[in-house]
Amino acid sequence: MIGFLLDLGRTILDNKGYNYENAMRNVYNLTNKKITFNVFFEKERMLHNYVFKLVQKTNTEVVIGEYLLTLIKLCDIETIYTSLDLEIAFFDELTKYEGVLGGAEKFLKFLKDRGAYVVAVSNSCISSDVLKRGLEKIKILKYFDEVISSADVLYRKPNQMMFLEGIKIMTEKKISIDNMYFVGNDYRCDISGAYNVGLKSIWYNEKNEEDVNNYATFKANNYDEIINYLQNNVFKA
């Protein structure tokens, strides 16, 4: 069996832009509203700036449900809802603007038709269970056997923990590392990260950037090129 670890954002998913303020308003509406939304959102901006600078510096991940509970406590207001409830309220707004990149579903179907084992490996503050909810909404969850989120692993790509979690799942399915491929669009997070753990990588390289370190096994501007490469080099009879 051949295994594929796939990045999501800008590799499979087209994040067409989203209204972060509206997502926070959904969360605010699940509180007792003892302060105005403007005050709530101002405090969120302050917390966000601090937390996400730390994320960028350390490649650790924020778990959005816990972040939102912390924000509510910081604002000295209350909610009867769980971190999962808050996460779903936040994420449901963002997924209104989410779609599938051109050619990506054709690629996913190509993999499934050939019996590949497919795992999403996403840098996201959203838990894997809630990410699955989003993938189901846009009707592509059926192409994935598993979903790994950095919100569950607590580290972001290119940290090795994300890749090793995917390799572990593949190994449990008796897939050797020689038959594993990582597909992603981000050179630092996806391609260099995959290279550093010994994975073959396919760089979905829309901008036709240079592979300065020769990390990628193959690079392509579009999914037709990737499918053609896999047909001739990986799934050939």
Side-chain angles (χ1 to χ4, degrees):
M1 184 184 293
I2 310 295
F4 285 83
L5 302 166
L6 307 183
D7 173 55
L8 288 180
R10 293 307 307 166
T11 298
I12 300 298
L13 300 180
D14 182 9
N15 303 314
K16 300 176 181 178
Y18 54 83
N19 194 315
Y20 187 84
E21 184 173 340
N22 280 352
M24 281 298 165
R25 193 178 293 277
N26 283 356
V27 174
Y28 170 78
N29 287 336
L30 297 181
T31 73
N32 59 7
K33 302 181 186 176
K34 285 189 176 179
I35 59 174
T36 66
F37 174 73
N38 287 341
V39 172
F40 177 80
F41 194 55
E42 181 181 349
K43 287 184 179 290
E44 192 281 328
R45 294 288 76 197
M46 293 171 57
L47 182 62
H48 185 279
N49 288 338
Y50 171 77
V51 169
F52 284 91
K53 281 181 182 177
L54 188 62
V55 166
Q56 290 176 346
K57 184 177 180 181
T58 63
N59 277 331
T60 54
E61 186 59 272
V62 173
V63 181
I64 194 65
E66 297 303 320
Y67 172 86
L68 295 170
L69 282 177
T70 299
L71 171 64
I72 289 168
K73 185 176 181 180
L74 179 67
C75 292
D76 199 26
I77 56 179
E78 297 176 353
T79 183
I80 61 171
Y81 294 94
T82 68
S83 61
L84 179 60
D85 295 328
L86 299 174
E87 180 183 5
I88 290 171
F90 175 83
F91 188 60
D92 277 357
E93 173 63 27
L94 303 189
T95 53
K96 289 179 182 178
Y97 307 90
E98 199 164 66
V100 183
L101 281 172
E105 186 164 6
K106 178 182 178 182
F107 168 65
L108 292 171
K109 187 175 187 302
F110 171 86
L111 295 182
K112 275 306 185 186
D113 285 350
R114 282 150 186 81
Y117 194 83
V118 180
V119 177
V121 183
S122 179
N123 276 354
S124 178
C125 61
I126 306 297
S127 65
S128 57
D129 285 343
V130 178
L131 281 180
K132 290 176 185 177
R133 176 187 175 98
L135 296 173
E136 179 64 34
K137 188 180 293 187
I138 55 177
K139 303 185 187 308
I140 62 169
L141 180 60
K142 61 189 176 183
Y143 298 114
F144 294 92
D145 296 289
E146 270 297 345
V147 175
I148 300 170
S149 171
S150 53
D152 300 319
V153 179
L154 301 181
Y155 287 95
R156 295 174 63 84
K157 295 173 294 177
N159 187 284
Q160 289 190 1
M161 292 298 294
M162 285 286 282
F163 297 93
L164 294 177
E165 188 66 22
I167 290 171
K168 177 185 173 184
I169 290 173
M170 295 284 181
T171 301
E172 289 172 350
K173 297 297 178 181
K174 311 301 183 186
I175 302 170
S176 73
I177 196 162
D178 289 339
N179 288 325
M180 297 180 200
Y181 292 80
F182 194 99
V183 183
N185 74 300
D186 188 288
Y187 190 74
R188 173 180 171 269
C189 292
D190 299 325
I191 306 308
S192 69
Y195 179 87
N196 287 334
V197 295
L199 284 171
K200 298 174 185 176
S201 65
I202 295 173
W203 187 11
Y204 177 66
N205 184 11
E206 285 182 295
K207 298 177 182 178
N208 200 29
E209 298 173 75
E210 183 182 357
D211 182 358
V212 292
N213 297 302
N214 294 316
Y215 284 158
T217 306
F218 180 73
K219 67 175 184 176
N221 307 98
N222 58 67
Y223 274 111
D224 283 338
E225 290 180 10
I226 295 175
I227 289 170
N228 185 61
Y229 169 79
L230 294 176
Q231 186 71 68
N232 292 324
N233 296 277
V234 178
F235 293 107
K236 60 183 179 181

